[in-house]
Amino acid sequence: MLGVVNLDKPVGPTSHDMVALLRRLTGDRRIGHAGTLDPLASGVLPILVGAATRFSEELTGGRKRYQATIRLGATSVTDDGEGPITPTAVDVPDDPAIHAALARMVGTFEQLPPAFSARKLGGRTAHRVARAGDSLALQPREVVVDALEVLDIARGAAGTDVTIDLHCGPGTYVRSIARDLGQALGCGGYLAALRRTEAAGLRVEDAIRPEHLEALREQGRLAEAILPVAKLLPLPHVQLSDHEVGRFRNGSRVAVRDLPRAGRLAVFDPREELVGIGSVAGGQLQPEKVIQGQGPA
């Protein structure tokens, strides 16, 4: 099997748990995912099957969309509902102030990752260091928020819940947005709920829940859930002849007419099956990643 499963990860399991599920269902150890979701998050988790694992970098690095609920009026050590959570006893500002603060978070800006994150410094992982009672001096990184829409503001005894629709680039921490919103308003905030609605060109409306995958496996129809990875690669396409495909698969540069001056391309054979990814150098196509004739991709 070769391709991508658009999995609707439920709240609770880790992304690695979902990888283990697909390994069991497919019998293939070559299973990965494109973009981790925390246990408390749900939604689109692209699962890569077989040689599709080679394209994790390309599928992880695209734009993403989330529906997130930020709870104002408290802080969390983890910046999400995992906690511990501490109420701030500070009044949450009115709705126009919340809208104004969120509007300032659209665009390109420096964002500090959460203390409990997978970021590494000096070979040490932030969340492991934090759980040991220490912290890493993580540096802010540039992120891009393309759009942010407030869907709802609900005030209750537990706090004020602000639900947003967020479009953002790779590397953006929604937990950090929740934390920073609370700091900007002076009342504290953390991420109470998160659902990824789009990633790697996949939508949550089309995603398959784990129990559905189990049922398909029992019916001998699991292949129906595996999508061609070729359609999801965010790269321009180039088609080679059979002779050129042979050279490309053997690691040789291929001279192809009408190539761009530079950049990376998804490479296809005459039957429009994915062969791999190449980069343009000196008017020739240099192989980067190659699929060795494993059937439809």
Side-chain angles (χ1 to χ4, degrees):
M1 290 184 176
L2 165 61
V4 180
V5 175
N6 180 10
L7 181 69
D8 186 352
K9 188 190 93 65
V11 172
T14 65
S15 295
H16 184 72
D17 291 336
M18 297 295 95
V19 167
L21 170 67
L22 265 295
R23 284 176 176 164
R24 175 171 62 82
L25 294 179
T26 63
D28 194 337
R29 298 295 300 172
R30 296 174 303 165
I31 303 291
H33 61 76
T36 302
L37 280 178
D38 293 334
L40 295 181
S42 68
V44 174
L45 180 65
I47 299 290
L48 313 181
V49 179
T53 54
R54 303 204 60 192
F55 306 107
S56 174
E57 177 186 358
E58 288 77 21
L59 297 177
T60 302
R63 323 306 287 179
K64 298 176 177 65
R65 185 175 182 178
Y66 298 91
Q67 182 170 306
T69 298
I70 301 169
R71 180 158 295 171
L72 300 174
T75 60
S76 168
V77 172
T78 57
D79 297 324
D80 64 11
E82 188 175 356
I85 295 168
T86 304
T88 59
V90 176
D91 290 339
V92 175
D94 59 18
D95 290 8
I98 295 172
H99 280 271
L102 285 170
R104 291 192 291 272
M105 294 183 177
V106 177
T108 302
F109 54 90
E110 296 286 314
Q111 183 188 68
L112 182 67
F116 285 76
S117 69
R119 291 290 164 87
K120 292 185 177 181
L121 184 64
R124 305 169 75 197
T125 304
H127 67 81
R128 293 196 178 106
V129 173
R131 287 189 172 88
D134 201 355
S135 62
L136 293 181
L138 297 174
Q139 297 300 308
R141 292 195 179 186
E142 185 177 277
V143 299
V144 178
V145 171
D146 299 304
L148 191 160
E149 179 186 359
V150 178
L151 301 178
D152 185 54
I153 299 177
R155 298 177 185 269
T160 298
D161 286 349
V162 181
T163 302
I164 62 173
D165 178 23
L166 175 70
H167 299 247
C168 60
T172 305
Y173 280 97
V174 188
R175 282 184 288 153
S176 292
I177 289 176
R179 176 202 64 207
D180 294 346
L181 176 64
Q183 291 176 353
L185 296 172
C187 60
Y190 66 91
L191 184 65
L194 182 67
R195 184 160 175 77
R196 187 154 66 194
T197 55
E198 292 183 16
L202 303 171
R203 303 185 309 165
V204 75
E205 294 89 346
D206 306 317
I208 301 176
R209 292 184 59 82
E211 58 268 25
H212 188 190
L213 287 176
E214 295 268 13
L216 288 175
R217 175 64 177 84
E218 292 176 3
Q219 299 164 16
R221 299 166 50 208
L222 187 59
E224 295 178 13
I226 300 179
L227 306 171
V229 66
K231 295 182 179 180
L232 303 177
L233 292 175
L235 297 171
H237 292 187
V238 63
Q239 192 170 35
L240 304 183
S241 68
D242 282 328
H243 174 71
E244 292 166 339
V245 166
R247 288 179 51 80
F248 185 87
R249 280 190 166 135
N250 288 330
S252 299
R253 289 189 176 189
V254 180
V256 184
R257 294 181 61 183
D258 300 325
L259 284 176
R261 291 186 177 181
R264 304 173 75 233
L265 302 173
V267 181
F268 292 81
D269 69 12
R271 291 158 294 283
E272 299 186 353
E273 293 178 0
L274 181 66
V275 176
I277 292 177
S279 57
V280 179
Q284 294 185 315
L285 190 62
Q286 172 68 46
E288 283 190 13
K289 301 178 181 181
V290 175
I291 297 175
Q292 293 294 343
Q294 300 183 40

